[in-house]
Amino acid sequence: VVVTIRDVAREAGVGLGTASRALAHEPGVAATTRARVLAAAERLGYRRSPIAHAFSRRRTNTLEIIVPRFTRFYMEILRGVESALADTDYSVVIRTIERREARERVLAACCTRGRSDGVLFISILPPDDLVERLLGMGLPAVLIDGEHPQLTSIRADDEQAEMAVVRHCVELGHHQIALLDRAEDPFGPAVPSGRQRGFERAMAEAGLEISDGYVQVIPFGLEGGARGFERLAALPEPPTAVLTGADMQAMGVIEAARRHGWKVPEDLSVVGCHDIELAEHLGLTTVRVPVRDLGQLGAGLLLAAIGQSAAPPQRISLPAELVVRATCGPPTR
Amino acid sequence: VVVTIRDVAREAGVGLGTASRALAHEPGVAATTRARVLAAAERLGYRRSPIAHAFSRRRTNTLEIIVPRFTRFYMEILRGVESALADTDYSVVIRTIERREARERVLAACCTRGRSDGVLFISILPPDDLVERLLGMGLPAVLIDGEHPQLTSIRADDEQAEMAVVRHCVELGHHQIALLDRAEDPFGPAVPSGRQRGFERAMAEAGLEISDGYVQVIPFGLEGGARGFERLAALPEPPTAVLTGADMQAMGVIEAARRHGWKVPEDLSVVGCHDIELAEHLGLTTVRVPVRDLGQLGAGLLLAAIGQSAAPPQRISLPAELVVRATCGPPTR
DNA sequence: TTGTAGGCGTTATCAG
DNA sequence: CTGATAACGCCTACAA
């Protein structure tokens, strides 16, 4: 029922090897022979078996991509990945880690030899033993929106960007500035983000102190933002400006603020992060992160690493810039 | 360098077949023997090769999913798919069709035997010859948000939902109602959507006529909505209510309307579709589509179809309901 | 330039 | 219950 390369070879009246070479467009086959093989394949409706191919070549032509969950932010990264892969014959299998319990299992599963030719971790920090195993079996991996000493990582320069944001707020006259950050890796260890470092540095430079409860890590998304706002609003001295780790968080803050009768930006200045499509339409002051480039570059680096045996890990950081729109203004308190 | 099942067998002092059976947790292996094999595998750090496994079993444990592009809507479907797959060991390779030219190529590639065990088309209508090939080689496929006579398809009941929307608008007093629809399959043939049919039926029932230019197909997203609004606004008699094919389109319409100085809902009522997370926060009147269920059910059906040889195609339609919020009101013109 | 003989790691078959 | 042995479909040396 299935047409194999053997059938094609017989039909074309050539040997197995010749058929294989002809079909693979390899050099070293006479033009007429090749034409004969191709014609035979066409006639028989031959299609080579991808698994057999992968099995034999010991290469799957597949990239494994691990993201925390399907959100707008990761979609944009995936688009970048895809554009990098557009002219290759690589496929992507995408895994998400929706539940914390699944983290171990998913991560372990993806690092089996033969599953894929390379792994792309997005906003996921692989534990050290995993990295060890990856390195041990020579499976290339790159980190997007994360960092690991032994893996080439690529991320936005959150630290610089956040410093620019703080400076902007200070120039507007704010003294009470809070940061509602998102977790670097929602399912991993709580490491301080670049945003947090930038925030602290810039606040120190401005001679401002960070009040208790002004730095919090909240979940991605509208809901997280809303909860963050409520915690901030309940403080004895609520901030006059709030920086966030994602545009959707910022929007959640704004929504919740409005529900509580606060006006934005009069009563509260809000800054997002990433500059998703919606941000422009809603006039959100935010940080423009080249999200798509993150994905494209990351995939490109991974592809490159698959070629060589052992490239030294690189650390790439893409500039992010402040985009001033309408959700920030001078404080009125 | 790689530990094969052969090594395990030798280490455990058993035959190849026994080792295979023990590792696969198949019955018919003495408990002590199994323990010995498992221990040997553990000791050697054996991990079975997924490709070799797939090659031998002629089953990849992989589902191929084809979506037009990465957007919020498709992400939500993907989440549903994922939840259906959570307790299986199925992986998902996702393909998008960003460019129209790629359509043919991508679709052809996904329908090779051995690539996957089943295909899930989302908002993509496979051409007849493709369906023929799929059926011919016994590769199960199901359609989400689409319909094909020979494939089991699952979709929201857009027609009923849109009729409810029209009735709602009519009750509010609207006579000039327009529909900015989205394409069923952005890269495929232009078939009239269920929305369009429901729109026409309900308008006829209400004794209203549909003016020239009141039904348009516009791209997904904010930009499409904005352009749609502009075309509608340029009409000699612009509508007082606009129904759309997606929430993001509706938001695009609202943004553009505001830019032109129209107030929503006073000057223009707007209805979205899907009820994405944002819709609630922005007070958008919309149609709630069980998007996640679409994905979950679709994946479940596909999984079921993989078991049997040839199940008859089913046609499932999930109810969608009107959600009244703040972007619809009585007309003031 | 072409044909042939292994080998990739598993599972399946069929005697013992 | 166990152990050889034969596929699975393709690629790749190596020999002709």
Side-chain angles (χ1 to χ4, degrees):
Chain A
V1 48
V2 278
V3 182
T4 77
I5 201 172
R6 229 174 282 272
D7 301 319
V8 175
R10 195 180 323 116
E11 172 84 6
V14 302
L16 197 56
T18 306
S20 174
R21 284 184 290 263
L23 258 6
H25 297 283
E26 271 181 27
V29 178
T32 62
T33 313
R34 158 160 305 150
R36 202 141 41 89
V37 173
L38 260 28
E42 177 72 33
R43 214 175 315 135
L44 266 40
Y46 166 79
R47 344 202 53 129
R48 104 174 144 199
S49 155
I51 357 92
H53 181 76
F55 179 47
S56 171
R57 291 210 57 196
R58 255 155 308 171
R59 165 184 284 230
T60 59
N61 270 47
T62 290
L63 259 33
E64 195 120 11
I65 303 188
I66 309 181
V67 305
R69 11 178 296 170
F70 289 121
T71 69
R72 180 123 218 127
F73 175 61
Y74 296 116
M75 286 285 118
E76 199 58 29
I77 293 187
L78 289 176
R79 282 203 197 167
V81 169
E82 183 168 75
S83 75
L85 263 41
D87 296 324
T88 72
D89 56 347
Y90 267 88
S91 303
V92 283
V93 1
I94 300 180
R95 287 175 205 287
T96 62
I97 305 187
E98 288 276 356
R99 298 164 308 174
R100 191 178 213 102
E101 317 87 73
R103 185 185 155 88
E104 290 282 322
R105 198 174 50 75
V106 172
L107 288 185
C110 73
C111 298
T112 317
R113 86 203 132 95
R115 250 219 193 306
S116 66
D117 299 343
V119 186
L120 208 46
F121 294 98
I122 305 181
S123 295
I124 300 269
L125 304 177
D128 284 340
D129 59 331
L130 221 208
V131 173
E132 217 53 65
R133 237 177 59 201
L134 245 26
L135 259 34
M137 61 199 211
L139 187 60
V142 348
L143 245 61
I144 291 183
D145 190 38
E147 213 168 303
H148 190 282
Q150 303 178 73
L151 258 29
T152 113
S153 345
I154 170 165
R155 64 183 315 164
D157 193 339
D158 291 324
E159 187 165 345
Q160 288 299 325
E162 208 65 8
M163 291 183 72
V165 173
V166 171
R167 282 189 209 111
H168 176 65
C169 290
V170 170
E171 273 167 25
L172 286 172
H174 290 274
H175 303 295
Q176 301 170 39
I177 308 176
L179 170 65
L180 292 179
D181 202 5
R182 65 178 175 90
E184 292 272 286
D185 176 343
F187 305 101
V191 301
S193 70
R195 265 179 303 281
Q196 209 165 314
R197 287 194 305 272
F199 177 69
E200 286 161 3
R201 275 185 59 190
M203 289 294 277
E205 275 182 12
L208 296 175
E209 75 173 42
I210 301 171
S211 308
D212 278 352
Y214 268 32
V215 175
Q216 298 193 21
V217 175
I218 58 173
F220 240 128
L222 288 171
E223 208 45 58
R227 287 233 302 280
F229 167 79
E230 273 148 23
R231 286 208 288 246
L232 253 26
L235 254 28
E237 263 193 293
T240 59
V242 178
L243 321 187
T244 63
D247 289 334
M248 291 298 274
Q249 290 184 331
M251 291 173 53
V253 169
I254 293 173
E255 284 298 319
R258 292 210 172 120
R259 275 201 302 273
H260 282 69
W262 297 35
K263 281 194 181 148
V264 173
E266 290 82 358
D267 300 320
L268 188 70
S269 286
V270 180
V271 184
C273 187
H274 293 160
D275 194 29
I276 63 177
E277 191 186 9
L278 269 173
E280 183 182 349
H281 289 261
L282 300 179
L284 181 68
T285 292
T286 188
V287 171
R288 178 171 300 148
V289 171
V291 184
R292 221 170 146 149
D293 296 346
L294 248 36
Q296 184 161 6
L297 262 171
L301 288 173
L302 184 54
L303 245 31
I306 289 173
Q308 293 106 58
S309 52
Q314 301 179 52
R315 181 141 317 133
I316 297 180
S317 144
L318 263 33
E321 63 175 318
L322 175 66
V323 180
V324 176
R325 296 206 183 96
T327 54
C328 268
T332 56
R333 271 183 279 140
Chain B
V1 49
V2 278
V3 182
T4 77
I5 201 173
R6 229 176 281 271
D7 301 320
V8 175
R10 195 178 325 116
E11 172 86 5
V14 301
L16 194 56
T18 305
S20 175
R21 284 185 291 262
L23 258 6
H25 297 283
E26 270 180 28
V29 179
T32 61
T33 313
R34 157 159 306 149
R36 204 140 39 90
V37 173
L38 260 28
E42 178 70 34
R43 217 175 312 135
L44 265 41
Y46 166 80
R47 343 200 53 128
R48 104 175 144 198
S49 155
I51 356 91
H53 180 76
F55 178 47
S56 179
R57 291 211 59 197
R58 254 152 310 169
R59 165 185 282 230
T60 58
N61 271 49
T62 290
L63 259 34
E64 195 120 12
I65 302 189
I66 309 181
V67 305
R69 13 178 294 170
F70 289 122
T71 69
R72 181 123 216 129
F73 174 61
Y74 296 117
M75 271 169 11
E76 200 56 31
I77 293 186
L78 290 176
R79 282 203 197 167
V81 169
E82 184 168 73
S83 74
L85 263 42
D87 295 324
T88 72
D89 58 347
Y90 266 89
S91 302
V92 160
V93 1
I94 299 179
R95 288 175 204 288
T96 62
I97 305 187
E98 288 276 356
R99 298 164 307 174
R100 191 178 212 102
E101 319 86 73
R103 184 185 155 88
E104 290 283 322
R105 198 174 51 75
V106 172
L107 288 185
C110 72
C111 298
T112 317
R113 87 203 130 94
R115 251 221 192 304
S116 66
D117 299 342
V119 186
L120 207 48
F121 295 97
I122 304 182
S123 294
I124 299 270
L125 304 177
D128 285 340
D129 59 330
L130 221 208
V131 174
E132 216 54 64
R133 239 177 58 202
L134 245 27
L135 260 33
M137 62 199 209
L139 187 60
V142 349
L143 245 61
I144 291 182
D145 190 37
E147 213 169 302
H148 190 283
Q150 304 178 73
L151 258 30
T152 112
S153 345
I154 170 165
R155 64 184 315 163
D157 193 340
D158 291 324
E159 187 166 344
Q160 288 300 325
E162 209 64 7
M163 290 183 72
V165 173
V166 171
R167 281 188 211 113
H168 176 65
C169 289
V170 170
E171 273 167 27
L172 286 172
H174 290 274
H175 303 295
Q176 301 170 41
I177 309 176
L179 171 65
L180 292 179
D181 202 5
R182 65 178 176 89
E184 291 272 287
D185 176 344
F187 305 101
V191 300
S193 70
R195 266 179 303 281
Q196 208 165 317
R197 287 195 304 272
F199 177 69
E200 286 161 2
R201 274 184 59 190
M203 288 294 277
E205 276 182 12
L208 297 174
E209 74 173 42
I210 301 170
S211 307
D212 279 353
Y214 267 33
V215 175
Q216 299 195 21
V217 176
I218 58 173
F220 239 127
L222 288 170
E223 207 46 57
R227 286 233 303 280
F229 167 80
E230 273 149 22
R231 285 209 288 246
L232 252 26
L235 254 29
E237 262 192 294
T240 59
V242 178
L243 321 187
T244 63
D247 289 334
M248 290 299 274
Q249 290 184 332
M251 292 174 52
V253 169
I254 293 172
E255 284 299 318
R258 292 211 172 120
R259 276 201 302 274
H260 283 70
W262 297 36
K263 281 194 180 148
V264 174
E266 290 82 358
D267 300 321
L268 188 70
S269 287
V270 181
V271 184
C273 186
H274 294 160
D275 194 29
I276 63 176
E277 190 186 9
L278 269 173
E280 183 183 348
H281 289 261
L282 300 179
L284 181 68
T285 292
T286 188
V287 171
R288 178 171 301 150
V289 171
V291 184
R292 221 170 147 148
D293 296 346
L294 248 35
Q296 184 161 6
L297 262 172
L301 287 173
L302 184 54
L303 245 31
I306 289 174
Q308 293 106 58
S309 52
Q314 302 178 50
R315 180 140 317 131
I316 296 179
S317 144
L318 262 35
E321 62 174 319
L322 176 66
V323 180
V324 176
R325 296 206 184 95
T327 54
C328 268
T332 56
R333 274 184 277 140

